[in-house]
mmCIF file of all heavy atoms in Angstrom:
data_model
loop_
_atom_site.group_PDB
_atom_site.id
_atom_site.type_symbol
_atom_site.label_atom_id
_atom_site.label_comp_id
_atom_site.label_asym_id
_atom_site.label_seq_id
_atom_site.Cartn_x
_atom_site.Cartn_y
_atom_site.Cartn_z
ATOM 1 N N PHE A 161 1.120 -17.334 -13.762
ATOM 2 C CA PHE A 161 1.692 -16.106 -13.200
ATOM 3 C C PHE A 161 0.558 -15.057 -13.244
ATOM 4 O O PHE A 161 -0.486 -15.144 -13.915
ATOM 5 C CB PHE A 161 2.930 -15.680 -13.991
ATOM 6 C CG PHE A 161 2.666 -15.200 -15.382
ATOM 7 C CD1 PHE A 161 2.556 -13.841 -15.723
ATOM 8 C CD2 PHE A 161 2.565 -16.165 -16.418
ATOM 9 C CE1 PHE A 161 2.315 -13.479 -16.973
ATOM 10 C CE2 PHE A 161 2.322 -15.752 -17.702
ATOM 11 C CZ PHE A 161 2.215 -14.443 -17.983
ATOM 12 N N SER A 162 0.771 -13.966 -12.551
ATOM 13 C CA SER A 162 -0.187 -12.915 -12.504
ATOM 14 C C SER A 162 0.583 -11.588 -12.582
ATOM 15 O O SER A 162 1.726 -11.433 -12.212
ATOM 16 C CB SER A 162 -0.999 -12.887 -11.214
ATOM 17 O OG SER A 162 -0.198 -12.755 -10.060
ATOM 18 N N THR A 163 -0.109 -10.590 -13.073
ATOM 19 C CA THR A 163 0.482 -9.257 -13.268
ATOM 20 C C THR A 163 -0.455 -8.166 -12.751
ATOM 21 O O THR A 163 -1.623 -8.362 -12.696
ATOM 22 C CB THR A 163 0.768 -8.910 -14.750
ATOM 23 O OG1 THR A 163 -0.475 -8.959 -15.471
ATOM 24 C CG2 THR A 163 1.754 -9.845 -15.306
ATOM 25 N N SER A 164 0.075 -7.119 -12.275
ATOM 26 C CA SER A 164 -0.726 -5.903 -11.816
ATOM 27 C C SER A 164 0.044 -4.666 -12.191
ATOM 28 O O SER A 164 1.236 -4.580 -12.164
ATOM 29 C CB SER A 164 -0.892 -5.912 -10.263
ATOM 30 O OG SER A 164 0.320 -5.865 -9.608
ATOM 31 N N VAL A 165 -0.791 -3.648 -12.688
ATOM 32 C CA VAL A 165 -0.289 -2.358 -13.033
ATOM 33 C C VAL A 165 -1.034 -1.299 -12.162
ATOM 34 O O VAL A 165 -2.275 -1.277 -12.325
ATOM 35 C CB VAL A 165 -0.407 -2.102 -14.531
ATOM 36 C CG1 VAL A 165 0.087 -0.719 -14.852
ATOM 37 C CG2 VAL A 165 0.321 -3.143 -15.359
ATOM 38 N N THR A 166 -0.294 -0.536 -11.456
ATOM 39 C CA THR A 166 -0.952 0.389 -10.571
ATOM 40 C C THR A 166 -0.329 1.772 -10.745
ATOM 41 O O THR A 166 0.905 1.893 -10.832
ATOM 42 C CB THR A 166 -0.979 -0.034 -9.033
ATOM 43 O OG1 THR A 166 -1.377 -1.360 -8.960
ATOM 44 C CG2 THR A 166 -1.771 0.931 -8.225
ATOM 45 N N ASN A 167 -1.183 2.815 -10.801
ATOM 46 C CA ASN A 167 -0.648 4.236 -10.780
ATOM 47 C C ASN A 167 -1.157 4.922 -9.592
ATOM 48 O O ASN A 167 -2.381 4.926 -9.240
ATOM 49 C CB ASN A 167 -1.306 4.851 -12.071
ATOM 50 C CG ASN A 167 -0.525 6.240 -12.374
ATOM 51 O OD1 ASN A 167 0.652 6.263 -12.357
ATOM 52 N ND2 ASN A 167 -1.350 7.279 -12.551
ATOM 53 N N TYR A 168 -0.248 5.532 -8.876
ATOM 54 C CA TYR A 168 -0.398 6.326 -7.630
ATOM 55 C C TYR A 168 -0.241 7.816 -8.002
ATOM 56 O O TYR A 168 0.739 8.151 -8.615
ATOM 57 C CB TYR A 168 0.498 5.945 -6.587
ATOM 58 C CG TYR A 168 0.380 4.501 -6.136
ATOM 59 C CD1 TYR A 168 0.960 3.517 -6.766
ATOM 60 C CD2 TYR A 168 -0.385 4.166 -4.969
ATOM 61 C CE1 TYR A 168 0.932 2.236 -6.366
ATOM 62 C CE2 TYR A 168 -0.471 2.886 -4.496
ATOM 63 C CZ TYR A 168 0.193 1.844 -5.282
ATOM 64 O OH TYR A 168 0.067 0.590 -4.854
ATOM 65 N N VAL A 169 -1.250 8.677 -7.564
ATOM 66 C CA VAL A 169 -1.152 10.093 -8.024
ATOM 67 C C VAL A 169 -1.233 10.914 -6.654
ATOM 68 O O VAL A 169 -2.202 10.765 -5.891
ATOM 69 C CB VAL A 169 -2.337 10.536 -8.888
ATOM 70 C CG1 VAL A 169 -2.215 12.019 -9.286
ATOM 71 C CG2 VAL A 169 -2.313 9.703 -10.130
ATOM 72 N N VAL A 170 -0.319 11.745 -6.358
ATOM 73 C CA VAL A 170 -0.257 12.620 -5.202
ATOM 74 C C VAL A 170 -1.327 13.669 -5.391
ATOM 75 O O VAL A 170 -1.363 14.383 -6.404
ATOM 76 C CB VAL A 170 1.192 13.269 -5.076
ATOM 77 C CG1 VAL A 170 1.119 14.158 -3.846
ATOM 78 C CG2 VAL A 170 2.167 12.130 -4.852
ATOM 79 N N VAL A 171 -2.110 13.900 -4.326
ATOM 80 C CA VAL A 171 -3.196 14.914 -4.390
ATOM 81 C C VAL A 171 -2.989 15.957 -3.284
ATOM 82 O O VAL A 171 -3.748 16.942 -3.209
ATOM 83 C CB VAL A 171 -4.601 14.350 -4.313
ATOM 84 C CG1 VAL A 171 -4.967 13.515 -5.555
ATOM 85 C CG2 VAL A 171 -4.781 13.509 -3.028
ATOM 86 N N SER A 172 -1.903 15.828 -2.531
ATOM 87 C CA SER A 172 -1.606 16.847 -1.542
ATOM 88 C C SER A 172 -0.549 17.763 -2.043
ATOM 89 O O SER A 172 0.193 17.374 -2.927
ATOM 90 C CB SER A 172 -1.024 16.149 -0.214
ATOM 91 O OG SER A 172 0.009 15.303 -0.500
#
Side-chain angles (χ1 to χ4, degrees):
F161 68 98
S162 62
T163 57
S164 64
V165 178
T166 308
N167 192 52
Y168 298 82
V169 183
V170 178
V171 294
S172 53

